[in-house]
Every structure is written in structure tokens, then in C-alpha cells.
Amino acid sequence: MERLRVVFVDKFGGAGNGSTSASSAVVRFTYPTVAGVKAAWESLQCWEAWRDHLQAPAGEPLAAFNRCGVTMLDVDFAPCSLFTRHFDKVGVPYEEWDAQELSERLPAVDTGRYFPPRPVDDDEFFADASARLGALHTPDGGFVDDPQLAARNLAEAAQRHGATFRWKTEVTAVMRRGGRVRGVRLEEGTELSAGVVVNSAGPWSGQLNRLAGVGGDFIYGPRAGSSCWPAAALRTDRRFRHHPLEQLPQLFRHQPLNDPHAGRVSSTPNEMTC
């Protein structure tokens, strides 16, 4: 099998400098599709043997996976059954806790059901809980202690296998020929020809799709800002106090919502562009 020559293009200065730097780095399996659960479960095996997975040398500092379990409340818009049917197919171990067991296992958690969310000025904002919630617990879940280091680990592993990186470089155009994407043009005018262009710009990938003239038929599409802050809230006095999206950059350290070029794009000359 012929190996592809891979070049990664990123506007930022290094691996993990985008939204990954603010990631909670939770390793969970609660995805609404069986494909998502399979991918998450397979990734756990990589995290548990991270050095072997990367073929990293003995002295290289690596991010570490911490297995502490992940508990998700059984709420109306994401009930346990949405995930357990896929867990049963894939073989993901799990426990279903009622409100009493949740209180005993995690006494710091308020098991009250406050739904639907209400604004602060609503008369029902301070109403008592209407019921109590149970939870779905996956004992094999956990978190990665340093998501930015994990991104650097992956970049260094890719370099060991021949990939190259062009940091602080912006993609300004996607080249097409014969009805197909054939490469990308960089801000200084350099053109990278590629048989494959991989869009890895995360919440800003919609902008690259528009440069390529694709994505108009997608049912779902990412949007910078909204995908980072779909429903943000701060917990106060056992209730949720909601904030307008435009206030969130001041409340949390993250990428600005109004930066049109903050995403990352990968690209590869000759055969493949990521």
C-alpha cells in the first residue's frame, strides 16, 4: 500500500493551541449513535496504552488517562436509554443509579429535577424541584490530564511517521479542477496540491466547506461560537443562571466567537491534505 505524504496546516502556533487548549478532556461513551459509541470505546484502548499506541520513545513526556468513571444525569433530553441500547451492542459496562444511589455515591450532587430551564426573572426560577433524578454511570470513563500535551503527542507521533506541519499559516482558498478538490492555497500564495483534502477545522469547518463550495446539502453544520457554546449556564444557588452567548468570552477563557479564521485546517501536498 502506497503511503501518503501528509502536510498539516494550522493558523495557530502549535498542536492543541485551538479549542483543544480549553477542553475538559473527558473520555466518555455517551453518544447517541452506535458509531459514536464504538469510536469512543475503541479510543479508550488507545488512551490506556498511550505510549504503545504512539510508539513513543521512553523519555517523551506523555499525557495520562485517569480512570475515575463518568456519571451522567438521567434527564429528559438525554435519557439513559438513549445510550444504554448502544452500550449493550458494543459491550460498554455501565450502571443505572436511581436517585437514592446517586445521592449515596455522589453526595455533592443535587439530584433535584429543575426542568425546563428558566430565566432568572421567571417566577418559577426559584421553584422547588419537581422530582429527583437518577444517573447513568460508566466506570471505565475518565479524563486526560493534559489535552494540549495529548495533541502534541499525536503531532510528534505523526512527525515520526513522516508528516510535516506548517504552523501560523492560513488557508485562503480551496483549489478545484474537474469537479474535484485538488488542493489549497495559503495566505502567502503557496499552493499545495493534493488528491485528498481533510477538513479538520472543528467548529470553524463550515467556513472551509464554503471555500470548497461544499456542504450545502448537509443536514447539520458547525458554526463558530454556537458549537462551542450551545447551552452555557453557571450554577448559582442550586439553579442555573443563563447568560447571552455574546457574554461568554468574558466569562470563560476560550476562542473568541467573532474570529472568522480561528479554526484549524489540515492539508497535504501530492496525495493528501489534512
Side-chain angles (χ1 to χ4, degrees), residues 153-172:
N153 293 157
L154 287 168
E156 289 164 1
Q159 286 178 310
R160 287 194 291 271
H161 288 274
T164 58
F165 291 77
R166 299 186 66 154
W167 305 114
K168 298 182 179 180
T169 303
E170 183 180 341
V171 171
T172 57

Side-chain angles (χ1 to χ4, degrees), residues 28-155:
R28 61 180 177 90
F29 320 110
T30 45
Y31 293 93
T33 65
V34 68
V37 173
K38 285 181 177 179
W41 184 245
E42 182 178 356
S43 74
L44 172 66
Q45 322 311 314
C46 300
W47 287 120
E48 289 182 327
W50 193 230
R51 189 173 297 277
D52 291 340
H53 174 64
L54 300 174
Q55 299 177 1
E60 181 179 336
L62 299 181
F65 170 67
N66 294 271
R67 181 185 181 275
C68 59
V70 172
T71 301
M72 185 169 182
L73 296 178
D74 185 13
V75 294
D76 295 25
F77 56 86
C80 291
S81 58
L82 182 66
F83 312 110
T84 55
R85 58 195 176 106
H86 300 319
F87 289 176
D88 291 335
K89 292 179 182 178
V90 177
V92 178
Y94 64 91
E95 303 169 13
E96 293 185 82
W97 297 348
D98 59 20
Q100 182 62 36
E101 185 168 7
L102 175 59
S103 293
E104 294 171 355
R105 301 283 290 269
L106 297 174
V109 173
D110 179 2
T111 63
R113 179 185 183 277
Y114 305 99
F115 195 83
R118 301 182 186 278
V120 177
D121 56 359
D122 191 300
D123 291 340
E124 297 297 318
F125 181 79
F126 291 102
D128 292 334
S130 59
R132 298 182 68 201
L133 297 172
L136 175 64
H137 179 71
T138 47
D140 292 303
F143 67 94
V144 176
D145 64 352
D146 190 334
Q148 194 172 55
L149 177 58
R152 292 202 302 269
N153 293 157
L154 287 168

Side-chain angles (χ1 to χ4, degrees), residues 173-176 179 181 206-218:
V174 175
M175 301 181 297
R176 299 176 64 91
V181 171
Q207 295 181 37
L208 184 64
N209 287 339
R210 286 191 290 275
L211 288 178
V214 301
D217 56 342
F218 291 178

